[in-house]
């Protein structure tokens, strides 16, 4: 799996944001992470990948975890956040998406 082919399309999928009712992707014009909301900028695939790999997380959900630790999905905030916040709490993503995120990290988080 690769970030650009398998994960970026997930991040680019438009979603209905439950707080504002707006529909956009994580990095779209109305997305939370276009310019770094929550301490994580995901404006394009290359920048998003760089900002995820071995970088500190600002999420209270994740404590001291890094965003993505290649080959260690349980130690990666990106996986924890996808599963616990986006899937379980908000219902924004489905099991297939969280499985893809987890598999990508487990397989080494390749670009």
């Amino acid at each position: 799996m690769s970030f650009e082919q398998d994960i970026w399309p997930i991040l680019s999928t438009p979603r209905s944001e439950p707080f504002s009712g707006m529909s956009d992707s994580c990095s779209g014009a109305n997305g939370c992470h276009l310019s770094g909301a929550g301490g994580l900028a995901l404006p394009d695939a290359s920048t998003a990948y760089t900002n995820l790999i071995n970088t500190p997380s600002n999420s209270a959900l994740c404590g001291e975890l890094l965003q993505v630790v290649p080959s260690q999905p349980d130690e990666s905030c990106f996986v924890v956040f996808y599963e616990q916040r986006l899937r379980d709490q908000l219902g924004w993503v489905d099991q297939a998406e969280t499985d893809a995120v987890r598999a990508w990290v487990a397989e080494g988080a390749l670009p």
Side-chain angles (χ1 to χ4, degrees), residues 3-90:
F3 182 79
E4 190 164 349
Q5 289 183 352
D6 300 297
I7 304 306
W8 182 249
I10 292 172
L11 296 176
S12 301
T13 299
R15 307 187 187 276
S16 181
E17 205 275 314
F19 304 113
S20 69
M22 299 177 84
S23 181
D24 208 340
S25 67
C26 297
S27 60
N30 297 312
C32 293
H33 296 289
L34 175 63
S35 60
L40 180 60
L42 306 171
D44 58 72
S46 178
T47 302
Y49 180 80
T50 298
N51 289 345
L52 284 169
I53 302 299
N54 292 313
T55 59
S57 167
N58 292 331
S59 172
L61 178 66
C62 295
E64 299 294 319
L65 295 179
L66 296 176
Q67 291 289 1
V68 172
V69 180
S71 302
Q72 297 183 34
D74 292 328
E75 300 300 319
S76 299
C77 181
F78 189 61
V79 174
V80 170
F81 195 84
Y82 245 82
E83 292 175 346
Q84 293 181 18
R85 177 83 169 134
L86 299 181
R87 182 193 64 204
D88 296 346
Q89 291 178 352
L90 299 175

Side-chain angles (χ1 to χ4, degrees), residues 96-107:
E97 292 169 308
T98 57
D99 288 349
V101 167
R102 177 171 280 281
W104 169 69
V105 174
E107 292 176 15

